[in-house]
Amino acid sequence: MLAVRSRPLSRRVTPLVTLSIIAAMFPLSLFAQATASTSQPAGWVKEFGTMWTFDAPPLAYWKARYGFTPDQAWLDHVRLSSIRIPGCSASFVSSAGLVMTNHHCGRDCTAGASPRDSNYVETGFAAASLGDEKKCANMFADQLQSITNVTDRIRKAVTATTPAKQVEQRNAEIDRIQKECAQQPTEVCEVVTFYQGGMYSLYKYRHWTDVRLVMAPEEGIAFYGGDPDNFTYPRYDLDLTLLRVYENGQPLSPHDFLKWSANGAAENDVVFVTGNPGSTGRLLTVAQMEYLRDVDYPARLAGYDRLLRIWHALAAASPEAARTYQNNIFSYENSKKAVTGYRAGLLDSAIMAKKRAFERDFRKRVEADPALRAKYGAAWDEIARAEKEMASFARNLQWQSFGGGSNLLNIAGGIVRLPSQGALPDSARLPQYRGAGLDRIRQQIATIPVDTAFERRALAATFAAWKEALPATDPALVLALKAGGGDPDRAAAAIIAKTTLADPAARRALIDGGASAVAKSTDPLIAIARTIEPVNRRLAERAAKLDAVISSNAEKIGQAIFAAYGTSLPPDATFTLRITDGLVEGYPMNGTVAPYKTTMFGLYERASDFDNKPPFQLPDRWAKGRDRLDLSTPMDFVSTNDIIGGNSGSPVINRNAEVVGLIFDGNIESLPNRFIFTDEVARSVSVSSRAIVEALRKLYRADRIADELTGGR
Amino acid sequence: MLAVRSRPLSRRVTPLVTLSIIAAMFPLSLFAQATASTSQPAGWVKEFGTMWTFDAPPLAYWKARYGFTPDQAWLDHVRLSSIRIPGCSASFVSSAGLVMTNHHCGRDCTAGASPRDSNYVETGFAAASLGDEKKCANMFADQLQSITNVTDRIRKAVTATTPAKQVEQRNAEIDRIQKECAQQPTEVCEVVTFYQGGMYSLYKYRHWTDVRLVMAPEEGIAFYGGDPDNFTYPRYDLDLTLLRVYENGQPLSPHDFLKWSANGAAENDVVFVTGNPGSTGRLLTVAQMEYLRDVDYPARLAGYDRLLRIWHALAAASPEAARTYQNNIFSYENSKKAVTGYRAGLLDSAIMAKKRAFERDFRKRVEADPALRAKYGAAWDEIARAEKEMASFARNLQWQSFGGGSNLLNIAGGIVRLPSQGALPDSARLPQYRGAGLDRIRQQIATIPVDTAFERRALAATFAAWKEALPATDPALVLALKAGGGDPDRAAAAIIAKTTLADPAARRALIDGGASAVAKSTDPLIAIARTIEPVNRRLAERAAKLDAVISSNAEKIGQAIFAAYGTSLPPDATFTLRITDGLVEGYPMNGTVAPYKTTMFGLYERASDFDNKPPFQLPDRWAKGRDRLDLSTPMDFVSTNDIIGGNSGSPVINRNAEVVGLIFDGNIESLPNRFIFTDEVARSVSVSSRAIVEALRKLYRADRIADELTGGR
């Protein structure tokens, strides 16, 4: 799945802070070859991928590689046919405002539009007429109108000399630019930071909020193969939702929409994908990647496993329990698979060698100029030093904390911490307690519901982890285990039995009682939290300082790279519109070759291979309708386009800007692309346009919609 | 493909030389736990696999693991239903002597039985009646009658004190045993060496030579997916030949044959495979495995690539050329895939860790007893030292030689070497020139045909390799390059133009002329060979000495292990009958799960995925007959049985000894099983018994045969 996930991938996100006015002054002559033309293939480093912005299309590269020379009208048409919806991408696919996106992108709409006694997510839905189309709550569609480079304006607004003041000035100017731009409720404006501050652009969107559900197949076919097949290929999914944008209660008639290809995608076709990739880390240094590989990701994966063990145990109790925990299990299995894939790339010595080579080269160029060396030469080593120090106490930071999965322990930590943080001036607080953070935390702590069965197990797992990670004399560990005679399980049970924090009223009383109430409390979790709090605060403050070092140096590196390469290297993903080029191509897989496409035969193959057991069970409509289908119809296909979470629902188009497919996933080999782009075996996975029409006509009795897509063909 | 291949896997094969009379004296008490019962699961080390001999079935282990307790009648019935044919395995599957094996095992028979204007390998064949069944040339069927332990008799016969004399006595005794045993032309007897000399068994077979072709499908379906899908899964092959054994011109009525299962294999079924695995290396030491991993296999793989580049270049010239070189290309691609897979296991740190742990443990036990330590303690280090020394000049041995792929260079080397080797006493010659070797080499040299286009490229590639591997002053290199002004390509072209060795008469003249003719020859290849010969001879003699050290120490280790574990560890494969247990089970693959079975849907899926292009093109009969088939019929399936080359054609049977499948391959993850058995993702791949019947009835109009298999069901 490629929607942008709410859980952030990394503890440290791309910084949006400070800027050094370096890019403009950077001596370009040093990189003459690389920057001779920003759209020459020569200036492109493949590992940075192909997520091009619409204001810097690599025309010379496309011409050299594919003999493809789109004019500005082609680019404008494609841009205006593309749509951003919450967390996903989409496109106009008819003159009457029909919008194509993924099933998982329209899921909330589909569920919300369901009648009381049924669920369209399970049963599928196809509106028989315009009047039957269902309004979606909280859905919108944004169409990118214009991109304006505002780098100079922002740089000029920043006149202060202290970093804090610089941030303030910059944010204020961004606010001003956005407000000036968005004059109407139908306009949305965002200033986007590229290259970690190397470039700022104003993105202006046309914004629609009347979006209606036209058609969604059963989740059983949209997400066929479920969790096992997620992130893999060969695949047999019809991951589709069709929506329609309305304006003034009538279907919108967009000037630009993508026409339907008569033949779909053929092997070796050049194809383009437009959409909003969410986040990549291709500008990270080797040291940052190594930290992720060796410290951050292993801890994260262990955490997923810890929680998955708990949910699996709870789910095993009854079918009802299985339903309750199914979403948690799926979500964490999904994250585990993704992070395992990201880490696999960082563990791949061939992939890392490319990254090292780039960094070595680039640093050499910086080192060769004394002025540059003085300014930026230290940045990589500064980051490496900070990462190394961070690693030295990462285990303590992780476990001398309120973390580990128990919400109750986390709540206890918040209750203990709130009075002291509240007493500090804003700038002296821990980052998450600054500004509106304090009130938000107080509100969450007071209201969050608690699942006691889960809490007991989560607490036991946390105590067991403490026992392994911390010295036997650690005061919090001693206090925790005392409750269970040294045994984590018994300790957790005893503490859960005694604590009152499951009751929101008890929490509120402690919050309202402030520091003295906390100090006097005999609640066992509060007692443990009191012991942890000062230790954890010192560790968190140390980590925050190191994060700042890393952020400011990462910024320098990002800006230096941008100054050197300009837009010939596409910027890291920012959940804004990009266009990526690629080829429809199979790849070597597991000793043999994966085909460029699958067909409907394969859907029935996989179902019968697994004796039609979930998640390989066919929806009834598909099981019964088999003989109506031409089973040789292409179902899904793969291409070398550069996509990531946020690209869900992106159209795949040919040279004529006709729809041949619908992006819905990447193969497992594409996960390392988060950091270093490769296309030897990494592939994007799309629904074939032909499968969409075949299914609409033969199974969903939806000729009305199929005709609208194909122009009646 | 799992037939025993004629090209040996390893330069050094399991030794059949000398023996130390240690096993009988080995203090079993030291390993009391492991040897308490030779059939207890406790005495089994999983990494040694499950290729059990019929005289040591692991009854307690089967009972503990599967609750399966076959009686002696079951074992006898299964043994007598199993058949060995040239290079492959097979089984009786009807009361009228019908024999089931793989398509690739019956290929020569099928080709030879074809009429002049057609080829049954391509068109398929099904005899309409008994009278229509076609006699196979050079085919035989051997049924294992009895196994007799002859270890004591052989030990007693060996009374000499020198190793050479010991070998002679032992071989003479083996000859005597075999001759005494095989009194009739219908009897074949072999003494088999197990555990590198830890145990000797006499295998006595009933031997039939009238074997006829009953049915073979098209190679296009038998080997569907061709080279890419070879060694992989999911798979869609009907790799089947049906033969019939005749006696006195009538179909044989075997007392024992396997009945057909009505339902085939279901998920998690316990299944057994009987057959003749050819060769494994599970007794090798870590040092031997590391030598293969770091020296032998990389050189071998580079060699395959060198030759493949040449053949691909030659094949590109014309469709005619493509046909000429197709077999070479296939054979070497196949070897490359296999060796890459073997090496992958040796590169897998988790797999090697198991091997290391076993070796460390076992050595510790030997070290713990002073007497044992004195006798066997040094064996591992002796091998490691020899392998290390071997590695130190492996590059010289490889390139200061007549190797590299050019037959002409090899011929020149033989011509130069024959006179000097012929002049030596037999025992002083290089190993391959001893005994009948000298005459064989002389004969080969005089007659082998030469493909000049290939030779020019092979010679150029060899010279290029010399240039890279040897110092610029190497005399042979200097001499070779002189012919082309320093350029390998031009040198090869010039030498090929000038040499007369392509002409067998010229070779014969040099052979007949002896040493003085060789010395006087001005042929450029003879000149180069004269320069190489003395250097290579010294290297070869050094390598032979090290090989002897490795062989004798490997023998000690094998015998020590046998003495400790007995038959609770199955011996390395010896192309004799084994029975292996396993489960029908899917496995984790490429981020998702591979199903336990495939169905006929998948055959049509794969064909349409690849737009019906070779090697995924369907045979006509299958393309046209699609609607007659029930596409949900299981096609192939996987199980955890322990198989390797030689197991081709093995039956897969259930607890009732009914046929549920037909082994034809292993998945790519099973290749490392050559050295260390694992079953997490390694799988055997079989044709489903149900696919055989479905195809016979619906596509081959062969109800006669299907009824015979199923008893008319």
Side-chain angles (χ1 to χ4, degrees), chain B residues 519-540:
Chain B
K520 278 184 282 184
S521 169
T522 58
D523 189 286
L525 278 173
I526 295 291
I528 291 171
R530 277 194 308 250
T531 313
I532 297 170
E533 201 282 328
V535 184
N536 175 263
R537 197 176 53 232
R538 280 190 299 274
L539 293 167

Side-chain angles (χ1 to χ4, degrees), chain B residues 148-161:
Chain B
T148 315
N149 190 324
V150 294
T151 314
D152 284 352
R153 182 166 162 189
I154 289 177
R155 299 232 191 287
K156 276 183 201 135
V158 177
T159 54
T161 50

Side-chain angles (χ1 to χ4, degrees), chain A residues 290-628:
Chain A
E290 286 173 343
Y291 182 88
L292 285 172
R293 181 189 69 193
D294 301 334
V295 182
D296 185 290
Y297 283 165
R300 200 183 295 262
L301 288 168
Y304 297 153
D305 280 337
R306 204 165 41 245
L307 289 171
L308 281 165
R309 272 194 298 275
I310 295 172
W311 284 316
H312 279 297
L314 291 168
S318 69
E320 163 68 10
R323 270 192 299 279
T324 304
Y325 295 104
Q326 182 188 316
N327 273 348
N328 284 328
I329 289 171
F330 167 68
S331 165
Y332 274 72
E333 287 285 4
N334 188 60
S335 296
K336 181 181 167 183
K337 206 169 184 176
V339 171
T340 302
Y342 303 149
R343 186 159 180 258
L346 302 176
L347 285 167
D348 184 318
S349 54
I351 290 181
M352 282 299 268
K354 286 183 189 173
K355 176 73 196 173
R356 270 179 228 287
F358 174 81
E359 189 165 300
R360 196 170 46 234
D361 261 31
F362 189 70
R363 288 187 68 172
K364 231 183 251 167
R365 298 210 232 161
V366 169
E367 287 294 322
D369 182 305
L372 292 176
R373 189 177 60 215
K375 251 180 176 161
Y376 316 110
W380 288 269
D381 290 340
E382 287 290 317
I383 289 177
R385 248 193 303 279
E387 296 288 6
K388 198 177 165 192
E389 188 182 341
M390 193 77 97
S392 72
F393 68 98
R395 216 171 155 76
N396 296 68
L397 182 63
Q398 185 184 8
W399 291 120
Q400 297 186 305
S401 77
F402 312 117
S406 161
N407 292 302
L408 280 177
L409 180 59
N410 209 4
I411 286 167
I415 290 172
V416 169
R417 187 160 275 173
L418 270 173
S420 59
Q421 288 289 312
L424 293 171
D426 197 81
S427 64
R429 292 176 194 163
L430 289 168
Q432 66 270 36
Y433 285 85
R434 289 180 201 158
L438 191 86
D439 274 346
R440 195 171 51 238
I441 291 171
R442 182 182 289 131
Q443 182 61 18
Q444 278 174 355
I445 290 174
T447 56
I448 191 172
V450 167
D451 167 353
T452 315
F454 168 78
E455 291 298 327
R456 190 178 54 70
R457 286 172 188 264
L459 211 54
T462 301
F463 294 163
W466 287 3
K467 214 174 158 178
E468 210 186 292
L470 304 176
T473 55
D474 179 88
L477 174 62
V478 169
L479 196 55
L481 290 186
K482 214 173 59 184
D487 179 68
D489 285 339
R490 271 180 290 145
I495 288 169
I496 291 292
K498 204 179 160 210
T499 183
T500 62
L501 298 186
D503 176 9
R507 295 182 223 157
R508 201 172 291 275
L510 279 164
I511 293 170
D512 294 345
S516 69
V518 168
K520 278 183 281 185
S521 169
T522 58
D523 189 285
L525 278 173
I526 295 290
I528 291 172
R530 276 194 309 251
T531 315
I532 296 170
E533 201 280 330
V535 182
N536 175 263
R537 198 175 54 231
R538 279 190 300 275
L539 293 167
E541 282 163 357
R542 190 174 166 200
K545 272 185 201 131
L546 292 170
D547 268 343
V549 170
I550 293 164
S551 291
S552 67
N553 282 288
E555 234 182 295
K556 285 185 195 173
I557 290 168
Q559 293 168 0
I561 288 176
F562 173 65
Y565 289 94
T567 52
S568 66
L569 295 189
D572 264 326
T574 44
F575 197 49
T576 55
L577 194 65
R578 307 294 179 95
I579 179 166
T580 160
D581 51 279
L583 295 171
V584 176
E585 272 185 350
Y587 56 98
M589 185 190 77
N590 236 43
T592 181
V593 280
Y596 76 95
K597 73 163 190 289
T598 63
T599 66
M600 290 185 174
F601 274 120
L603 173 66
Y604 291 93
E605 155 78 359
R606 202 140 172 88
S608 59
D609 284 358
F610 287 98
D611 301 323
N612 210 33
K613 286 183 198 151
F616 301 104
Q617 190 176 20
L618 291 166
D620 247 28
R621 188 199 311 266
W622 286 77
K624 288 178 185 152
R626 189 179 95 197
D627 292 342
R628 291 205 298 280

